[in-house]
Structures are given as C-alpha cells and as structure tokens.
C-alpha cells in the first residue's frame, strides 16, 4: 500500500481558489486512489493516532457522517463539537479556540455560517483547518462532485457544467473547482440571486489558467444548452427558511425538469449536494431518473474528504 502524497501537508482548505490546478488534481487523484483501496478491502490507516476536531455551527447529515467515518477508516478519531460543547458557542473568541484546539488535536474541520470565521480560525491555528461549509463556499462538496463527474465521464477538461438556481456556496465553489480542472461553467440565476461578484471575478481568473470559461446568465435554457453536467441546489438554504415563499416565486422558472434537461446533451448527468426538495428545485423524474448520479456523489464525499485529511493532516 502506497502512502498519500504529502505535498499539501499542513495546508488549510478554505476555498478551492487557494489551490493550484495541479493541487486540485492531486486531491482528486488521491480520492480515487483511496476509494479503490476501500473497494478492494485494503486498510489505509494513514492517520493512525491522529485526531480531528469537528466544529458544527450548522447541522448536517453528510458532512458529519462522512468526516467521522473517514477519520475512523483512516485510523484516527473524530470529535464532534456543537456550540453547546465548546466555549466558542458561549463567547470565547475564535482566535482563542484555535489556539487551544491546536494544543490538543491534529486538525480542525468547521461547518459554519461566516467564511470570515473559518479564515480567522485558520489564521490562529497551528494545525490544518478544513472548511466543511460556509455560506460563501463548500469546497469539500465540489471535490466530491468533480470525482463523480470524472468517474462517469472519464475526463473533466472540456466538459460543460450548468448550475441552475441560487448563486450560493455551491455555485461559488463549482466555479472555483471547475475552473481549476478546465470545465466550462454556466450559472443561471434570477436577478437578486446571482453569485457573489468577487467570486465570479476570481473564478474567471482561474479559468484563464486552464483555457475555459465562466458565464453567469439569467436564462436557464441558455445555461443548460449542450451541458454535460447539470447541477442544482435547494432554493432556500439553512438559515434562509423565512424566505422560502419569496424564493419559491423567484425561482419558479428555474426548476430542473425534463423539459429543461432536453436542452442538454443526451448523456448528461445530474448532481445535487442534498438534501433535495422534489417538486421544487428538481422533479422526481430527474433526481430519481437514469441521468442522476446523486448517490455516487454523496458517497464520494467520504472518499474526497479522506484525500483531504490524508494529504493535509
């Protein structure tokens, strides 16, 4: 059994924009390699004796389970820390929490609201910090997405991905990640819900490095035309529940359904980070149909995060 590539040891994962083209591809290759080991029943305890602190300011199914299982299968241990479990939830500064945890554990994964909180944690921690999700970015999800696309399409460079819906953390991280691997991205969102302009600018800079393009439009048909991959997300993310009715009206024309998907390539694949609301952002015919690879995508959260943990921690 070969050891993981250690070129990223000690690094933080805050956004995929922070990583080079080569580094993103290394993470994807490592994820595929570790997945193959698991499927073959070959143990891979690269983090024997290591401990990961998992801070959850936002609840989760896939992030919680995949990181905890990943640490166990890598030979390490994960500590679940909710706001009720640590002093950061009762007024201790992020900086002091970072300093204290750095003396106890080997890495920190945090799932929270504010990107600045993750960045501050990384500034003061002396151990790797992994962004498990913020309102701005979701890098671990997109590494799993890219793994899934490569498994089903055999390549990444030159493919077109269409994202339909809210210009949120998934849209942002898809732009960053796809730009690094040479995929064309078209984002379709209604006015008032477009992606963050600064993220779009940075992603377009990344796209220049791989000769691809980032496009933000209002027309979902325009975005989906000739797409190899179609992605969507819920219309109201965690913390936006009070906007549900308003968003249902704003996104009514942005549902991923059979009519919209008819404009994509015949062999398109469909991704959704989950949880999904059938009948809202996507119809059951699409998410439960033959084009959907959402369960492979969900599983790949485990393998992609193993790669992140093995290479960074």
């Amino acid at each position: 059994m070969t050891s993981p590539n250690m070129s990223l040891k000690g690094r933080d994962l805050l956004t995929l924009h922070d990583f080079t083209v080569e580094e993103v591809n290394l993470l994807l290759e490592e994820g595929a390699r570790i997945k193959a080991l698991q499927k073959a029943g070959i143990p891979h305890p690269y983090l024997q004796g290591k401990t990961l602190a998992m801070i959850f300011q936002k609840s989760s199914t896939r992030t919680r389970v995949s990181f905890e299982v990943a640490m166990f299968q890598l030979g390490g241990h994960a500590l679940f820390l909710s706001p009720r479990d640590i002093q950061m939830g009762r007024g201790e500064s992020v900086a002091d929490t970072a300093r204290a945890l750095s003396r106890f554990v080997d890495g920190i994964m945090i799932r929270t609201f504010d990107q600045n909180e993750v960045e501050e944690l990384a500034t003061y921690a002396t151990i790797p910090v992994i962004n498990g999700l913020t309102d701005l970015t979701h890098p671990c999800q997109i590494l799993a997405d890219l793994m899934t696309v490569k498994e089903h399409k055999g390549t990444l460079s030159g493919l077109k991905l269409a994202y339909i819906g809210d210009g949120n953390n998934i849209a942002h991280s898809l732009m960053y990640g796809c730009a690094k691997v040479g995929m064309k991205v078209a984002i379709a969102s209604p006015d008032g819900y477009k992606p963050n302009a600064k993220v779009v600018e940075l992603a377009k800079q990344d796209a220049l490095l791989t000769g691809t393009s980032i496009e933000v439009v209002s027309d979902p048909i325009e975005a989906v035309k000739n797409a190899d991959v179609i992605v969507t997300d819920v219309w109201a993310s965690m913390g936006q529940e009070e906007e549900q009715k308003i968003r249902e009206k704003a996104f009514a024309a942005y549902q991923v359904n059979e009519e919209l998907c008819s404009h994509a390539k015949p062999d398109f694949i469909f991704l959704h980070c989950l949880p999904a609301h059938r009948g809202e952002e996507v119809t059951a015919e699409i998410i439960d149909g033959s084009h959907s690879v959402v369960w492979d995508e969900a599983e790949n959260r485990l393998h992609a995060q193993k790669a992140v943990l093995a290479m960074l921690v």
Side-chain angles (χ1 to χ4, degrees):
M1 179 182 66
T2 58
S3 298
N5 186 301
M6 300 301 289
S7 61
L8 300 180
K9 184 174 174 59
R11 289 277 297 276
D12 301 312
L13 175 56
L14 307 182
T15 77
L16 291 177
H17 174 68
D18 302 329
F19 285 69
T20 66
V21 170
E22 294 74 20
E23 289 167 344
V24 171
N25 281 292
L26 274 177
L27 285 166
L28 295 174
E29 291 167 8
E30 186 64 17
R33 189 184 72 82
I34 288 178
K35 182 175 182 177
L37 290 177
Q38 178 169 321
K39 296 299 184 183
I42 301 172
H44 39 284
Y46 301 131
L47 296 183
Q48 191 77 43
K50 302 289 188 180
T51 302
L52 178 73
M54 304 191 306
I55 301 174
F56 281 86
Q57 307 281 38
K58 282 189 175 186
S59 60
S60 168
T61 299
R62 279 151 289 276
T63 300
R64 164 80 189 269
V65 175
S66 57
F67 266 106
E68 195 158 333
V69 171
M71 281 301 291
F72 173 77
Q73 293 181 350
L74 289 168
H77 180 69
L79 293 167
F80 174 79
L81 303 172
S82 75
R84 298 181 300 276
D85 300 316
I86 57 175
Q87 297 301 323
M88 198 167 86
R90 299 196 298 173
E92 183 174 55
S93 71
V94 173
D96 285 356
T97 298
R99 294 181 180 108
L101 289 177
S102 294
R103 300 298 182 103
F104 300 135
V105 300
D106 302 286
I108 301 169
M109 186 284 296
I110 179 169
R111 180 180 171 95
T112 189
F113 294 89
D114 191 348
Q115 181 78 17
N116 291 329
E117 189 172 44
V118 179
E119 294 177 0
E120 185 179 0
L121 195 66
T123 297
Y124 291 96
T126 57
I127 53 178
V129 172
I130 298 165
N131 177 1
L133 173 142
T134 68
D135 288 346
L136 186 70
T137 61
H138 196 356
C140 291
Q141 177 65 57
I142 272 51
L143 287 172
D145 291 359
L146 294 175
M147 271 189 68
T148 307
V149 174
K150 191 168 186 178
E151 286 174 356
H152 285 268
K153 293 295 184 181
T155 187
L156 293 171
S157 180
L159 298 180
K160 178 182 176 180
L161 181 144
Y163 173 87
I164 311 299
D166 190 18
N168 61 11
N169 50 8
I170 294 294
H172 295 158
S173 290
L174 280 170
M175 288 189 287
Y176 283 155
C178 290
K180 297 289 186 180
V181 298
M183 290 179 67
K184 180 179 179 180
V185 179
I187 306 284
S189 303
D191 291 340
Y193 298 93
K194 293 284 196 292
N196 179 285
K198 180 63 174 178
V199 172
V200 175
E201 178 187 344
L202 293 174
K204 287 184 174 181
Q205 293 174 14
D206 288 343
L208 292 175
L209 300 174
T210 55
T212 190
S213 64
I214 305 292
E215 185 179 21
V216 178
V217 300
S218 297
D219 184 359
I221 294 177
E222 180 183 351
V224 165
K225 187 176 180 181
N226 295 322
D228 301 280
V229 184
I230 299 175
V231 188
T232 191
D233 192 9
V234 294
W235 291 341
S237 297
M238 196 177 302
Q240 299 171 336
E241 290 83 2
E242 73 283 356
E243 302 175 27
Q244 178 68 32
K245 295 301 180 184
I246 297 172
R247 285 172 171 265
E248 284 177 8
K249 293 180 181 179
F251 288 99
Y254 291 81
Q255 183 185 75
V256 177
N257 50 39
E258 289 183 326
E259 194 284 323
L260 179 62
C261 293
S262 69
H263 299 277
K265 289 183 179 177
D267 63 346
F268 80 91
I269 59 174
F270 173 75
L271 300 176
H272 192 306
C273 63
L274 304 175
H277 298 156
R278 290 165 176 80
E280 291 185 18
E281 75 274 5
V282 62
T283 60
E285 288 79 11
I286 295 300
I287 193 169
D288 299 320
S290 60
H291 294 275
S292 177
V293 295
V294 298
W295 303 114
D296 292 340
E297 176 190 12
E299 178 190 337
N300 281 337
R301 287 291 302 277
L302 173 64
H303 309 301
Q305 287 158 194
K306 278 186 181 178
V308 169
L309 290 165
M311 294 181 71
L312 272 60
V313 178

